[in-house]
Amino acid sequence: MKLKLAALAFCTAAAALPARADITIGVSLGVTGPGASLGIDYKNAYPLMPKTLGGEPVKYIILDDASDPTNAAKNARRLVSEDKVDALMGSNGVPSAIQMAQVAAEAKTPIIVLTPAVLSPAVLHWSFIVPQTTELMMGAIAHEMKNKGVKTVGYIGFSDTWGDLVLKALQSFAGPDGFKIVTDERYARADTSVTGQVLRIIAANPDAVVVGGSGTGGALPQVALVERGYKKTIYHSHGDVNGQFIQVGGKAVEGAVAVTGPLIVPEELPADYPNKAVALEFTQRYEAKYGKGSRNAFAGYAYDGYLLLDAAVPVALKKTRPGTPEFRAALRDALEKVHGVVGTHGVYDMNPSTHTGLDERARVLVHVVNGSWRLMK
Amino acid sequence: MSFDISLWLLQDGVTNGSIYALLALALLLVFAVTRTIFVPQGEFISYAALSLALLQAGRLPGVVYVLLGGGLAAAALELAQALRARRWRHLPRRLALYLLLPGAIAALAWWAAPRKPDLAEQVLLVLALVTPLGPILYRIAYQPLAGASILVLFIVSMAAHYVLSGLGLVFFGGEGLRSRPFADAHFRLGVLDVSAQSLWVVAASLAIMLVLWLFFSRSLYGKALRATAVNRIGARLVGVRPELAGSLSFAIAAFIGALSGVLISPVTTIYYDTGFLIALKGFVGAILGGMGSYPLAVLGSLGVGMLESFSSFWSSAFKETIVFTAIIPVLLWRSLTTRQVEDEEE
């Protein structure tokens, strides 16, 4: 009997062994709630990822946080304490991502942050931010406006963290690039009208307008501005670039200028563009699965998060096995040293002091021509 | 702020306000007849607006599945009830109402969607798709609990709101849609440039209000609803079935919600969850009007529209704060001036 038990115990232990070696990644995304339109795009990237990370089998546990920061924190806590994940990923929505990063830092687990969140140094130690910083992106817009001789800029953005982030980034260029921000109007995605805000902008008559929205939400101010006869260029943050934006905006968004990652227009990039091949391959696979015109920047962030982990995991595996605190620490160290990883958005050279890895190669200016986003030449 | 700008804002406020007014009327009606704070009203707006946009794109709106599934559930409830009570007299008619009617509408939508019917047909189809959801929702969620307290009914409403908005996300996706305007024309009116769409909104709202007034003052069903609103037990004594009154009021609410959705869909981008906020503003309008009088609710809603458009000009970041804060003085005034009445008799 004892022998039997021992044999049984041994077998279970043996059976459990390879399972322990599996890498587990915990993901929390807002696939319902107000951020759902972005969350679904992020989530769509996961079926396109290989079943391995650094050659080891991987399991992604994807939870829905309903775009609620409290839920995101709860999910992160569950993932680190119950599922003992080796790394976290998430979330769409800056406030949710910040909450998750805090939990990750407490639990000494690395986290791939999928939104351009601004984090305190202690939290940043464990966090690695995939998307371009808002400054990097809005810098391209600021530069373009300077070239066009824009002196006054009207701003209209979401009345949330995103609207604040875009405005702050824009303000950081306002002095040096020689333009002045003359309006700070806010609206919500669910607003039925932006007439009041638009009238104020028109009264100020700026040389250009910058919209800080996301997805189809960014189309509303442009449609209203065009309806009221505003003829100058309207610039958009990278949150607005997707196919539905044009569907919703129709003729009114023709000529809109936006900044985005190269994966929106990989076909038009010059052949020697550093990440043309990766971006093109991802876009084609994505559209093959989700339909033509479904390409978007957000799925690319999730996929680049996978690429970062894929590059870091082999280094960490040399030290120890997954599922241990040592592995999580080793993975963090490896992520900090990631260098030259070519992703869908650009080339990632992780910077140990800021934990962001993208540079000017990860931004392109696009504009709407004949109802589609085209690279600005 | 110049005179021109005030006129513009006024126009914007009236356009949005008339949508809120329609919704306020529906909310008041449902509340008076069934004592339900009808939170899911907003979902009908989203369903209708998104369905219209999808129909224009030649696609079958997912709301048909909600309609068929809901009809099936309601029919199952009827069947169970008939089995338990062993009364079969009403069953065929009710099964036809919950199975055949939704089935026929769904089949029509399925047939018509790829053929891209013209605008009037699209609008009628959308109204036909969304309106039956009212009675179906009433049958499933509210009728079994008709005697419950206002609080319980409110919690049911919250549940129904979450279920319907979740279904909306499943069937319409997270991104917003916008349908083409009924008419592209613009009219110059002094300094104003009035879009034909905003005239449509105001005219349709006025027409619905007129029809509602005629319905409640002239027709037998309308009078039955009014009787139920005034006194439930009294109405029952004179032969008004509370189920019929509830079902009818939900149908009217769903119809008004669907119509608001159709009207607003070319004006702005609608997401699966936008309707909730629009209906909430109708609710604020109804509260500003004291939650009892129809004309005051209309005035209150127009007030909400104005407040919204002027605050979006002056301080856009605080727009919602200003609109929703407006309830507080009204509630204070109401609670100071109204005597507490026991409304939980029965």
Side-chain angles (χ1 to χ4, degrees):
Chain A
M1 190 64 203
K2 247 187 187 155
L3 192 74
K4 252 189 189 168
L5 262 182
L8 189 73
F10 180 77
C11 287
T12 8
L17 265 182
R20 286 305 305 156
D22 278 9
I23 298 168
T24 321
I25 307 294
V27 187
S28 175
L29 293 171
V31 287
T32 59
S37 65
L38 309 188
I40 293 169
D41 288 345
Y42 277 103
K43 197 179 170 209
N44 282 345
Y46 285 88
L48 298 177
M49 295 175 192
K51 301 272 171 286
T52 59
L53 257 188
E56 292 291 312
V58 63
K59 190 170 93 189
Y60 293 99
I61 304 171
I62 304 178
L63 302 179
D64 175 22
D65 57 43
S67 316
D68 177 350
T70 321
N71 283 340
K74 231 185 276 169
N75 283 348
R77 238 173 258 288
R78 194 196 120 176
L79 289 165
V80 291
S81 62
E82 281 177 31
D83 301 305
K84 306 262 183 306
V85 297
D86 296 301
L88 286 166
M89 273 175 120
S91 173
N92 53 305
V94 172
S96 297
I98 291 175
Q99 289 289 323
M100 286 186 74
Q102 260 155 10
V103 175
E106 274 169 42
K108 299 199 174 357
T109 303
I111 176 168
I112 303 289
V113 179
L114 298 178
T115 43
V118 179
L119 300 166
S120 69
V123 174
L124 193 66
H125 186 71
W126 291 92
S127 309
F128 298 89
I129 299 162
V130 179
Q132 303 87 341
T133 59
T134 330
E135 278 78 17
L136 179 68
M137 291 309 239
M138 295 317 287
I141 298 268
H143 189 69
E144 171 72 11
M145 291 197 297
K146 187 187 178 187
N147 285 347
K148 290 270 155 66
V150 169
K151 292 274 173 270
T152 50
V153 173
Y155 178 74
I156 175 164
F158 275 2
S159 50
D160 62 7
T161 333
W162 180 241
D164 285 342
L165 272 177
V166 175
L167 177 68
K168 230 170 91 190
L170 198 64
Q171 273 166 342
S172 70
F173 295 100
D177 276 350
F179 60 83
K180 220 173 86 192
I181 299 169
V182 290
T183 65
D184 172 15
E185 296 303 313
R186 296 308 173 91
Y187 72 108
R189 182 184 61 112
D191 277 359
T192 47
S193 142
V194 285
T195 307
Q197 293 93 323
V198 160
L199 284 173
R200 214 176 163 87
I201 293 176
I202 293 209
N205 193 23
D207 297 337
V209 173
V210 174
V211 180
S214 81
T216 42
L220 184 61
Q222 172 136 10
V223 173
L225 278 164
V226 170
E227 262 176 18
R228 293 281 178 275
Y230 187 77
K231 296 256 183 318
K232 294 163 194 164
T233 313
I234 299 170
Y235 294 90
H236 292 262
S237 73
H238 45 304
D240 290 349
V241 183
N242 65 12
Q244 287 102 326
F245 172 86
I246 298 175
Q247 252 174 40
V248 162
K251 265 180 257 148
V253 296
E254 193 70 19
V257 177
V259 61
T260 186
L263 84 162
I264 298 296
V265 283
E267 295 89 350
E268 294 181 71
L269 295 171
D272 59 345
Y273 206 85
N275 71 331
K276 174 167 176 146
V278 178
L280 191 61
E281 197 227 334
F282 178 72
T283 309
Q284 282 166 349
R285 281 176 59 207
Y286 192 87
E287 296 204 331
K289 192 167 168 69
Y290 299 106
K292 206 169 149 26
S294 59
R295 63 179 67 179
N296 61 80
F298 308 108
Y301 293 135
Y303 197 79
D304 286 359
Y306 145 74
L307 287 173
L308 289 177
L309 286 170
D310 192 53
V313 160
V315 183
L317 275 174
K318 274 186 211 138
K319 293 227 177 88
T320 180
R321 282 147 39 105
T324 59
E326 293 76 33
F327 181 79
R328 295 195 277 274
L331 186 60
R332 189 214 81 86
D333 295 342
L335 277 167
E336 198 166 56
K337 295 194 185 74
V338 158
H339 188 78
V341 170
V342 182
T344 60
H345 275 275
V347 182
Y348 291 85
D349 296 314
M350 211 30 97
N351 178 335
S353 61
T354 61
H355 281 196
T356 58
L358 291 169
D359 53 23
E360 281 80 8
R361 291 172 291 180
R363 63 181 199 198
V364 292
L365 284 176
V366 291
H367 57 167
V368 180
V369 182
N370 295 328
S372 63
W373 290 107
R374 304 293 296 275
L375 187 67
M376 252 173 112
K377 297 265 161 62
Chain B
M1 186 165 75
S2 70
F3 182 65
D4 295 12
I5 287 178
S6 329
L7 273 183
W8 276 109
L9 293 174
L10 208 66
Q11 185 214 347
D12 188 52
V14 169
T15 313
N16 284 324
S18 29
I19 297 268
Y20 301 151
L22 276 184
L23 295 165
L25 291 183
L27 286 164
L28 262 185
L29 170 68
V30 169
F31 183 70
V33 176
T34 66
R35 296 169 308 136
T36 303
I37 308 279
F38 195 38
V39 187
Q41 174 79 47
E43 268 61 55
F44 296 133
I45 306 173
S46 293
Y47 278 20
L50 293 168
S51 298
L52 184 64
L54 284 179
L55 275 180
Q56 292 187 343
R59 284 162 57 195
L60 181 68
V63 68
V64 295
Y65 304 113
V66 183
L67 184 64
L68 290 174
L72 217 57
L77 280 175
E78 284 294 345
L79 199 65
Q81 197 189 11
L83 273 174
R84 220 178 305 134
R86 305 200 168 281
R87 280 174 48 181
W88 312 99
R89 201 157 52 86
H90 296 299
L91 194 62
R93 220 182 63 209
R94 290 183 188 168
L95 286 188
L97 181 69
Y98 292 127
L99 288 179
L100 288 186
L101 183 70
I105 297 170
L108 183 68
W110 178 79
W111 175 82
R115 288 177 173 71
K116 293 201 184 185
D118 65 27
L119 186 72
E121 289 161 6
Q122 284 168 1
V123 169
L124 287 178
L125 191 57
V126 166
L127 293 178
L129 276 169
V130 177
T131 308
L133 288 176
I136 288 172
L137 180 66
Y138 179 75
R139 180 62 193 92
I140 298 173
Y142 295 93
Q143 194 179 315
L145 286 166
S149 69
I150 291 185
L151 184 65
V152 170
L153 289 172
F154 177 65
I155 293 168
V156 173
S157 285
M158 287 312 292
H161 157 65
Y162 281 119
V163 168
L164 286 176
S165 105
L167 288 173
L169 179 62
V170 170
F171 289 117
F172 296 112
E175 267 301 1
L177 294 171
R178 186 173 182 148
S179 60
R180 287 191 297 275
F182 294 177
D184 256 331
H186 285 253
F187 306 102
R188 285 214 72 87
L189 215 82
V191 289
L192 277 184
D193 177 53
V194 184
S195 74
Q197 185 63 34
S198 61
L199 288 181
W200 262 106
V201 171
V202 177
S205 305
L206 285 176
I208 287 293
M209 285 172 206
L210 186 72
V211 169
L212 280 180
W213 179 72
L214 286 174
F215 175 73
F216 284 115
S217 57
R218 300 291 153 89
S219 79
L220 190 62
Y221 281 108
K223 285 176 185 164
L225 278 188
R226 264 170 66 203
T228 316
V230 173
N231 189 328
R232 247 175 303 278
I233 301 173
R236 238 167 115 173
L237 286 176
V238 296
V240 179
R241 276 195 306 119
E243 290 89 35
L244 178 76
S247 201
L248 193 58
S249 65
F250 270 63
I252 296 174
F255 175 78
I256 290 179
L259 189 77
S260 314
V262 164
L263 287 173
I264 202 145
S265 150
V267 181
T268 184
T269 314
I270 301 280
Y271 298 80
Y272 74 99
D273 59 349
T274 312
F276 173 66
L277 211 62
I278 302 176
L280 201 59
K281 286 182 186 145
F283 185 59
V284 172
I287 290 182
L288 290 185
M291 201 72 196
S293 142
Y294 292 92
L296 281 182
V298 171
L299 279 182
S301 305
L302 286 175
V304 171
M306 297 296 177
L307 196 59
E308 202 182 23
S309 94
F310 279 87
S311 56
S312 72
F313 181 83
W314 285 116
S315 171
S316 52
F318 292 102
K319 192 191 79 179
E320 309 288 40
T321 320
I322 295 170
V323 169
F324 289 113
T325 310
I327 309 182
I328 296 174
V330 177
L331 288 183
L332 268 178
W333 176 71
R334 292 273 303 165
S335 61
L336 289 175
T337 52
T338 336
R339 273 183 310 116
Q340 193 67 39
V341 278
E342 204 57 57
D343 59 349
E344 295 292 324
E345 79 257 18
E346 277 209 45

